[in-house]
């Protein structure tokens, strides 16, 4: 089968992704073999390719926003051949540690991830753990559903971590695949959304989706914000975000990687009970809640389709902010 691999992590301009021919994998007990119908291109894939995340599996095939058809089911699976499933970032947890037992499986020390610990969806086939594969609402077609499986789910968790009060003002920094989905959930729940991004195209998309205001990353907010989500992996933005929060406001950092945060001034950035919180992966409950909500609200997913043979270009375009929304590989 056709696949892409990260031979040696390096800046995307140097071409760390390489085409490869691999055997179609065989599913083990509790695993599914999935024929990939669409795979979203996520910023985490870029972090894997460029080495911002440490190597977990040498020669890994990235991709963790997989919509596919079950081609084969190993022993003990509930999904059957022919079922359409979604395969997301979280591939497995131990199920026994104190975090798993209290419903925080996203913090499991033994957790493993699609496209990092196991080969992902930049290929014609991938395996998935049956218990972590999602049944997808019929209303969501393949290309539209793909970005929901990480960008959407993580954005949803970040929104909840930001503790936006009812009818409150939400600031969003960075407006790519995840942000444009989280913004729609917030708007549907009655929030006033303000978007901060360096991309003119992304600012235009934000306004089209209903944002009250959109400006550059360091512009002054039109009014103090009750909550904020930082999607851009830029630590230098953290002080700017915190300065724009009202008393008691919370900033949730949504990315798996963030560059260094400058020194914070307690009075300017944190006093008056402002909070800075991280977001770590997601639980399956997050995914189920979000996918149901996205279908019910008919969330608009802005996508740009690339062929599987264009995966390297898709990642380079993501790194260069050359599109608004989300890229999706279609084999």
């Amino acid at each position: 089968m056709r696949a892409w691999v990260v031979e040696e992590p390096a800046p995307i301009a140097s071409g760390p992704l390489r085409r490869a021919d691999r055997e179609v994998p065989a599913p083990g007990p509790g695993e599914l073999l999935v024929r990939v119908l669409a795979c979203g291109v996520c910023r985490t894939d870029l972090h894997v390719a460029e080495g911002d995340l440490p190597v977990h599996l040498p020669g890994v095939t990235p991709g963790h926003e997989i919509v596919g058809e079950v081609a084969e089911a190993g022993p003990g699976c509930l999904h059957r051949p022919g079922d359409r499933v979604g395969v997301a970032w979280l591939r497995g947890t131990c199920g026994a540690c104190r975090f798993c037992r209290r419903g925080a499986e996203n913090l499991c020390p033994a957790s493993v991830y699609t496209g990092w610990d196991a080969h992902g969806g930049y290929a014609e086939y991938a395996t998935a753990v049956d218990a972590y594969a999602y049944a997808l609402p019929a209303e969501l077609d393949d290309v539209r559903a793909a970005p929901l499986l990480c960008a959407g789910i993580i954005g949803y968790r970040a929104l909840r971590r930001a503790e936006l009060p009812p009818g409150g003002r939400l600031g969003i920094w960075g407006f790519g695949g995840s942000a444009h989905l989280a913004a729609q959930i917030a708007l549907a729940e009655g929030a006033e959304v303000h978007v901060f991004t360096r991309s003119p195209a992304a600012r235009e998309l934000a306004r089209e989706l209903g944002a009250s205001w959109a400006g550059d990353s360091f512009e002054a907010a039109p009014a103090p914000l009750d909550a904020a989500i930082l999607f851009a992996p830029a630590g230098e933005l953290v002080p700017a975000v915190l300065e724009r929060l009202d008393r008691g406001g919370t900033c949730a950092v949504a990315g798996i990687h963030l560059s260094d945060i400058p020194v914070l001034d307690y009075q300017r950035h944190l006093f008056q009970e402002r909070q800075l919180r991280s977001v770590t992966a997601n639980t399956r409950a997050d995914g189920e809640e979000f996918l149901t909500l996205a279908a019910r609200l008919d969330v608009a997913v802005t996508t740009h389709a690339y062929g599987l043979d264009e995966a390297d270009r898709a990642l380079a375009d993501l790194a260069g902010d050359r599109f608004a929304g989300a890229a999706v590989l279609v084999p």
Side-chain angles (χ1 to χ4, degrees), residues 1-229:
M1 68 172 184
R2 292 178 298 155
W4 288 86
V5 302
V6 180
E7 287 189 344
E8 188 70 34
I12 197 65
S14 68
L17 279 185
R18 295 283 188 270
R19 292 183 181 88
D21 288 317
R22 282 188 160 155
E23 294 294 322
V24 175
E31 287 188 343
L32 305 170
L33 174 64
V34 176
R35 181 171 67 88
V36 178
L37 302 174
C39 183
V41 176
C42 179
R43 190 165 291 275
T44 301
D45 301 333
L46 185 62
H47 293 318
V48 169
E50 294 198 316
D52 295 323
L53 299 180
V55 174
H56 280 193
L57 176 64
V60 70
T61 294
H64 56 274
E65 296 177 334
I66 304 168
V67 175
E69 179 182 58
V70 176
E72 187 180 343
C77 291
L78 296 179
H79 289 101
R80 308 311 306 163
D83 288 351
R84 191 177 72 132
V85 296
V87 182
W89 175 239
L90 185 66
R91 180 181 174 89
T93 59
C94 75
C97 70
R98 61 194 179 98
F99 300 105
C100 287
R101 292 198 307 271
R102 75 185 194 204
E105 65 182 4
N106 60 306
L107 301 179
C108 174
S111 56
V112 290
Y113 300 95
T114 311
W116 192 20
D117 295 288
H119 296 306
Y122 286 24
E124 293 178 295
Y125 289 88
T127 61
V129 177
D130 180 63
Y132 291 78
Y134 294 98
L136 296 174
E139 300 93 323
L140 301 171
D141 65 58
D142 300 339
V143 172
R144 183 181 171 203
L148 302 181
L149 290 162
C150 181
I153 295 171
I154 293 298
Y156 178 72
R157 185 171 183 87
L159 180 61
R160 296 294 175 248
R161 291 280 290 165
E163 295 187 347
L164 177 66
R169 295 190 189 96
L170 173 68
I172 292 177
W173 270 258
F175 204 73
S178 194
H180 91 288
L181 300 172
Q184 292 178 69
I185 301 297
L187 288 164
E189 294 176 343
E192 181 181 308
V193 174
H194 300 261
V195 171
F196 301 77
T197 175
R198 64 187 182 184
S199 166
R203 291 197 289 269
E204 182 59 30
L205 176 60
R207 295 186 191 101
E208 290 174 4
L209 292 174
S212 299
W213 178 90
D216 189 71
S217 299
F218 289 95
E219 281 191 47
L225 305 170
D226 299 301
I229 306 173

Side-chain angles (χ1 to χ4, degrees), residues 261-280:
I261 299 172
V263 174
L264 298 177
D265 180 280
Y266 180 70
Q267 295 293 331
R268 287 173 56 197
H269 301 130
L270 292 172
F271 192 54
Q272 301 294 354
E273 299 194 351
R274 297 179 183 89
Q275 299 184 80
L276 179 62
R277 312 176 83 177
S278 67
V279 178
T280 300

